[in-house]
Amino acid sequence: MKIQMVDVVGQYKKIKPEVDAAVHRVLDSGNFILGKEVGELERNVAGYLGTSHAVGCASGTDALQVAMMALGIGPGDEVITTPFTFVATAETIAILGARPVYVDIDPKTFNIDVSKIETAITPRTKAIIPVHLYGQACDMDALMAIAQKHKLRVIEDSAQALGAQYKGKKICGFGDIGCISFFPSKNLGAFGDAGMVVTNDVDLAARLRMIIVHGSKERYYHEILGVNSRLDTIQAAILLVKLNYLDQWNNARLQAANRYDSLLTGSGVITPHRAPDRNHIFHQYTIRTPKRDALAQHLNEKGIPFGVYYPVPLHIQKAFSMTGGGVGDFPVSEEAAGDVLSLPMHTELDESQQEFITNTIRKFLG
Ligand SMILES: *Cc1c(COP(=O)(O)O)cnc(C)c1O
């Protein structure tokens, strides 16, 4: 049985005529940079999320970087996030000369443990970057209360959670800026790199719009330092088509997660926790087992793909030695890094594939 971790081609085939027509319209127009589809996508994503502004950029990583640039974060500043995230979250903090300050995660949701944030705040703290990991929102009410009390900015790393809700409201608009990735494997994936920043603040939106084009409003007149990080028109055209399917696809992931939950009942693995006031959109379906490494090897032998997100927390990564962390500093993250395993999860996953995967797991652990 051929099972894929993410089936981008299978999904494309179902909407091929629409996508191909959209791409050909861009090819025929010749407007490859900031063509009209980019603006359309920005309006549609803002509408989808309920934010007032959206600005396309070249990737989710760039979204984080330009968000921090717009907020004036730089040398001497500290930014709080977790060490259990994709490298980009902390990498962009450090690239701007600021310092990532980590807070451990909640063992159930894998998201920042809000009860530990206040002890990490210093006079240099400028912002908090909650990461809505695996497709489930952080505890935003509690987090925003702390941010307001200490006058901190909040940048939501929503790369894995486009469409996820917290208490009935979509994430991305809780903080100052929401950062989206359209990396092909994300819930809304382009056919290459792409990203977006969203905000409800008109001045921040104007700054973001300048920063992505070399800090200029008018070409060759540069008001602030910026970067070259535009969302490609071809990608925007593809994403415009795909955005119409996002809720349906997130729902397909939820149905697949429900099937995994019941197929894995009593198997000995810990299935994903769903916080009651949030809707998980299952970017990843991540199980936990102390026998993770042995199970991983077994799945390999059986030809079942899986992922380990993430095997090494950022505070013990070589590239982040400047933050001075060591083994034992963030035990909950370290434990998760040692026992998480993400199973195949995508919109094309069917019941027989899931039965094969879960039977293989049950037999091995049983
Ligand atoms: C994917 C991802 C990013 C980076 O997005 P890219 O588009 O790959 O640059 C940032 N943060 C998290 C949590 C991610 O999963």
Side-chain angles (χ1 to χ4, degrees):
M1 184 177 287
K2 181 80 192 110
I3 299 173
Q4 299 191 62
M5 189 65 190
V6 182
D7 187 3
V8 291
V9 175
Q11 192 187 61
Y12 163 59
K13 282 182 179 155
K14 290 191 175 159
I15 52 168
K16 184 172 160 50
E18 265 185 290
V19 170
D20 289 2
V23 169
H24 281 111
R25 276 197 297 275
V26 179
L27 298 184
D28 289 331
S29 80
N31 292 323
F32 303 131
I33 301 295
L34 298 182
K36 72 172 174 38
E37 286 82 357
V38 177
E40 259 174 68
L41 181 70
E42 289 170 345
R43 285 189 293 278
N44 289 6
V45 170
Y48 177 79
L49 292 171
T51 59
S52 357
H53 311 274
V55 179
C57 63
S59 70
T61 304
D62 277 4
L64 290 161
Q65 179 173 331
V66 299
M68 281 185 270
M69 289 173 75
L71 294 171
I73 290 167
D77 296 332
E78 292 178 355
V79 178
I80 291 174
T81 190
T82 89
F84 194 66
T85 175
F86 181 59
V87 64
T89 319
E91 180 184 49
T92 45
I93 299 169
I95 281 285
L96 293 174
R99 183 185 163 83
V101 172
Y102 301 119
V103 167
D104 213 346
I105 54 168
D106 168 75
K108 281 186 171 162
T109 62
F110 304 101
N111 286 333
I112 192 162
D113 184 341
V114 177
S115 71
K116 293 180 180 157
I117 291 178
E118 278 195 298
T119 57
I121 294 173
T122 76
R124 291 178 297 280
T125 309
K126 266 274 181 73
I128 309 172
I129 307 187
V131 183
H132 306 298
L133 204 73
Y134 300 152
Q136 183 167 228
C138 297
D139 186 359
M140 290 311 289
D141 278 354
L143 189 140
M144 291 308 298
I146 291 170
Q148 268 143 24
K149 179 174 159 200
H150 296 273
K151 298 193 165 54
L152 302 176
R153 300 293 209 156
V154 173
I155 299 167
E156 293 176 67
D157 184 339
S158 309
Q160 300 188 4
L162 190 62
Q165 294 177 20
Y166 175 81
K167 297 189 178 168
K169 186 181 161 205
K170 289 209 178 77
I171 54 130
C172 271
F174 286 90
D176 296 278
I177 301 176
C179 296
I180 302 164
S181 165
F182 301 118
F183 186 79
S185 64
K186 300 287 159 82
N187 287 33
L188 179 59
F191 292 180
D193 279 307
M196 196 169 279
V197 280
V198 299
T199 181
N200 288 312
D201 181 320
V202 63
D203 297 324
L204 273 178
R207 278 181 77 78
L208 288 162
R209 203 165 279 294
M210 283 200 285
I211 288 169
I212 62 145
V213 283
H214 304 289
S216 62
K217 268 186 213 137
E218 194 184 338
R219 199 185 271 186
Y220 306 126
Y221 293 82
H222 306 281
E223 297 180 31
I224 53 177
L225 287 180
V227 293
N228 172 11
S229 182
R230 293 172 292 235
L231 196 157
D232 193 278
T233 310
I234 292 178
Q235 300 303 340
I238 295 164
L239 289 164
L240 267 173
V241 172
K242 294 185 76 178
L243 179 61
N244 295 326
Y245 296 91
L246 179 60
D247 284 342
Q248 182 186 322
W249 286 336
N250 281 346
N251 191 47
R253 286 170 180 269
L254 177 64
Q255 298 314 316
N258 291 344
R259 288 198 296 268
Y260 269 139
D261 275 1
S262 59
L263 290 166
L264 287 167
T265 306
S267 66
V269 306
I270 299 175
T271 54
H273 172 76
R274 305 184 194 186
D277 48 5
R278 295 157 232 190
N279 75 327
H280 202 315
I281 57 157
F282 289 99
H283 173 60
Q284 300 295 345
Y285 185 90
T286 303
I287 59 170
R288 307 187 71 161
T289 165
K291 297 184 187 133
R292 195 270 314 276
D293 291 340
L295 176 62
Q297 197 188 331
H298 184 70
L299 293 176
N300 248 333
E301 285 158 12
K302 297 284 174 191
I304 296 174
F306 61 89
V308 173
Y309 313 113
Y310 297 92
V312 184
L314 299 181
H315 66 286
I316 43 182
Q317 292 275 1
K318 195 172 161 199
F320 292 93
S321 51
M322 72 289 203
T323 58
V327 174
D329 287 356
F330 301 99
V332 187
S333 297
E334 290 166 36
E335 193 179 342
D339 69 10
V340 293
L341 186 143
S342 300
L343 297 178
M345 173 51 80
H346 54 80
T347 56
E348 312 307 306
L349 200 62
D350 67 38
E351 208 158 342
S352 64
Q353 293 175 325
Q354 291 188 278
E355 274 166 11
F356 178 70
I357 294 165
T358 52
N359 284 338
T360 306
I361 295 172
R362 296 186 85 98
K363 257 186 247 157
F364 179 74
L365 295 176

mmCIF file of all heavy atoms in Angstrom, residues 130-145:
data_model
loop_
_atom_site.group_PDB
_atom_site.id
_atom_site.type_symbol
_atom_site.label_atom_id
_atom_site.label_comp_id
_atom_site.label_asym_id
_atom_site.label_seq_id
_atom_site.Cartn_x
_atom_site.Cartn_y
_atom_site.Cartn_z
ATOM 1 N N PRO A 130 3.563 33.487 20.151
ATOM 2 C CA PRO A 130 2.928 32.185 20.348
ATOM 3 C C PRO A 130 2.903 31.446 19.013
ATOM 4 O O PRO A 130 2.675 32.052 17.971
ATOM 5 C CB PRO A 130 1.508 32.549 20.802
ATOM 6 C CG PRO A 130 1.262 33.917 20.269
ATOM 7 C CD PRO A 130 2.597 34.598 20.150
ATOM 8 N N VAL A 131 3.163 30.145 19.061
ATOM 9 C CA VAL A 131 3.122 29.307 17.861
ATOM 10 C C VAL A 131 1.926 28.373 18.004
ATOM 11 O O VAL A 131 1.845 27.617 18.974
ATOM 12 C CB VAL A 131 4.418 28.463 17.729
ATOM 13 C CG1 VAL A 131 4.398 27.646 16.440
ATOM 14 C CG2 VAL A 131 5.653 29.362 17.787
ATOM 15 N N HIS A 132 1.000 28.455 17.075
ATOM 16 C CA HIS A 132 -0.181 27.569 17.131
ATOM 17 C C HIS A 132 0.232 26.239 16.508
ATOM 18 O O HIS A 132 -0.017 25.980 15.333
ATOM 19 C CB HIS A 132 -1.348 28.202 16.386
ATOM 20 C CG HIS A 132 -1.697 29.587 16.841
ATOM 21 N ND1 HIS A 132 -2.125 29.864 18.124
ATOM 22 C CD2 HIS A 132 -1.664 30.787 16.198
ATOM 23 C CE1 HIS A 132 -2.376 31.172 18.231
ATOM 24 N NE2 HIS A 132 -2.094 31.748 17.079
ATOM 25 N N LEU A 133 0.874 25.409 17.311
ATOM 26 C CA LEU A 133 1.550 24.225 16.772
ATOM 27 C C LEU A 133 0.588 23.107 16.372
ATOM 28 O O LEU A 133 -0.404 22.846 17.063
ATOM 29 C CB LEU A 133 2.566 23.704 17.785
ATOM 30 C CG LEU A 133 3.714 22.879 17.171
ATOM 31 C CD1 LEU A 133 4.692 23.778 16.437
ATOM 32 C CD2 LEU A 133 4.451 22.080 18.233
ATOM 33 N N TYR A 134 0.928 22.457 15.295
ATOM 34 C CA TYR A 134 0.213 21.286 14.759
ATOM 35 C C TYR A 134 -1.220 21.611 14.306
ATOM 36 O O TYR A 134 -1.962 20.713 13.936
ATOM 37 C CB TYR A 134 0.145 20.140 15.781
ATOM 38 C CG TYR A 134 1.468 19.591 16.271
ATOM 39 C CD1 TYR A 134 1.553 19.017 17.539
ATOM 40 C CD2 TYR A 134 2.617 19.621 15.480
ATOM 41 C CE1 TYR A 134 2.755 18.483 18.001
ATOM 42 C CE2 TYR A 134 3.815 19.096 15.941
ATOM 43 C CZ TYR A 134 3.882 18.520 17.197
ATOM 44 O OH TYR A 134 5.054 17.987 17.668
ATOM 45 N N GLY A 135 -1.632 22.885 14.403
ATOM 46 C CA GLY A 135 -2.975 23.245 13.964
ATOM 47 C C GLY A 135 -3.946 23.564 15.082
ATOM 48 O O GLY A 135 -5.145 23.683 14.850
ATOM 49 N N GLN A 136 -3.429 23.705 16.309
ATOM 50 C CA GLN A 136 -4.299 24.029 17.446
ATOM 51 C C GLN A 136 -3.844 25.337 18.093
ATOM 52 O O GLN A 136 -2.657 25.533 18.337
ATOM 53 C CB GLN A 136 -4.273 22.899 18.468
ATOM 54 C CG GLN A 136 -5.205 23.132 19.646
ATOM 55 C CD GLN A 136 -5.416 21.881 20.480
ATOM 56 O OE1 GLN A 136 -6.531 21.531 20.814
ATOM 57 N NE2 GLN A 136 -4.340 21.190 20.830
ATOM 58 N N ALA A 137 -4.812 26.200 18.364
ATOM 59 C CA ALA A 137 -4.501 27.536 18.886
ATOM 60 C C ALA A 137 -3.913 27.481 20.294
ATOM 61 O O ALA A 137 -4.233 26.599 21.090
ATOM 62 C CB ALA A 137 -5.768 28.389 18.899
ATOM 63 N N CYS A 138 -3.067 28.469 20.587
ATOM 64 C CA CYS A 138 -2.581 28.685 21.954
ATOM 65 C C CYS A 138 -3.727 29.251 22.792
ATOM 66 O O CYS A 138 -4.745 29.680 22.263
ATOM 67 C CB CYS A 138 -1.450 29.714 21.949
ATOM 68 S SG CYS A 138 -0.013 29.186 21.030
ATOM 69 N N ASP A 139 -3.490 29.309 24.108
ATOM 70 C CA ASP A 139 -4.484 29.887 25.014
ATOM 71 C C ASP A 139 -4.407 31.415 24.903
ATOM 72 O O ASP A 139 -3.722 32.083 25.664
ATOM 73 C CB ASP A 139 -4.185 29.418 26.448
ATOM 74 C CG ASP A 139 -5.264 29.870 27.410
ATOM 75 O OD1 ASP A 139 -6.223 30.553 26.981
ATOM 76 O OD2 ASP A 139 -5.142 29.544 28.611
ATOM 77 N N MET A 140 -5.104 31.959 23.906
ATOM 78 C CA MET A 140 -4.904 33.362 23.548
ATOM 79 C C MET A 140 -5.455 34.357 24.567
ATOM 80 O O MET A 140 -4.891 35.427 24.739
ATOM 81 C CB MET A 140 -5.469 33.648 22.151
ATOM 82 C CG MET A 140 -4.670 32.991 21.033
ATOM 83 S SD MET A 140 -2.869 33.265 21.132
ATOM 84 C CE MET A 140 -2.725 35.002 20.717
ATOM 85 N N ASP A 141 -6.558 34.040 25.245
ATOM 86 C CA ASP A 141 -7.079 35.001 26.228
ATOM 87 C C ASP A 141 -6.050 35.246 27.326
ATOM 88 O O ASP A 141 -5.743 36.385 27.676
ATOM 89 C CB ASP A 141 -8.385 34.488 26.862
ATOM 90 C CG ASP A 141 -9.588 34.765 25.971
ATOM 91 O OD1 ASP A 141 -9.411 35.446 24.929
ATOM 92 O OD2 ASP A 141 -10.689 34.292 26.306
ATOM 93 N N ALA A 142 -5.505 34.166 27.869
ATOM 94 C CA ALA A 142 -4.537 34.294 28.956
ATOM 95 C C ALA A 142 -3.261 34.970 28.456
ATOM 96 O O ALA A 142 -2.668 35.811 29.143
ATOM 97 C CB ALA A 142 -4.221 32.909 29.524
ATOM 98 N N LEU A 143 -2.845 34.619 27.247
ATOM 99 C CA LEU A 143 -1.619 35.185 26.693
ATOM 100 C C LEU A 143 -1.775 36.690 26.423
ATOM 101 O O LEU A 143 -0.903 37.486 26.759
ATOM 102 C CB LEU A 143 -1.244 34.441 25.411
ATOM 103 C CG LEU A 143 0.129 34.788 24.831
ATOM 104 C CD1 LEU A 143 0.831 33.545 24.312
ATOM 105 C CD2 LEU A 143 0.052 35.823 23.722
ATOM 106 N N MET A 144 -2.915 37.077 25.843
ATOM 107 C CA MET A 144 -3.140 38.492 25.540
ATOM 108 C C MET A 144 -3.242 39.321 26.824
ATOM 109 O O MET A 144 -2.822 40.471 26.859
ATOM 110 C CB MET A 144 -4.401 38.675 24.683
ATOM 111 C CG MET A 144 -4.292 38.138 23.263
ATOM 112 S SD MET A 144 -2.853 38.695 22.323
ATOM 113 C CE MET A 144 -3.135 40.462 22.269
ATOM 114 N N ALA A 145 -3.780 38.723 27.887
ATOM 115 C CA ALA A 145 -3.878 39.447 29.160
ATOM 116 C C ALA A 145 -2.482 39.772 29.690
ATOM 117 O O ALA A 145 -2.227 40.893 30.165
ATOM 118 C CB ALA A 145 -4.666 38.615 30.173
#
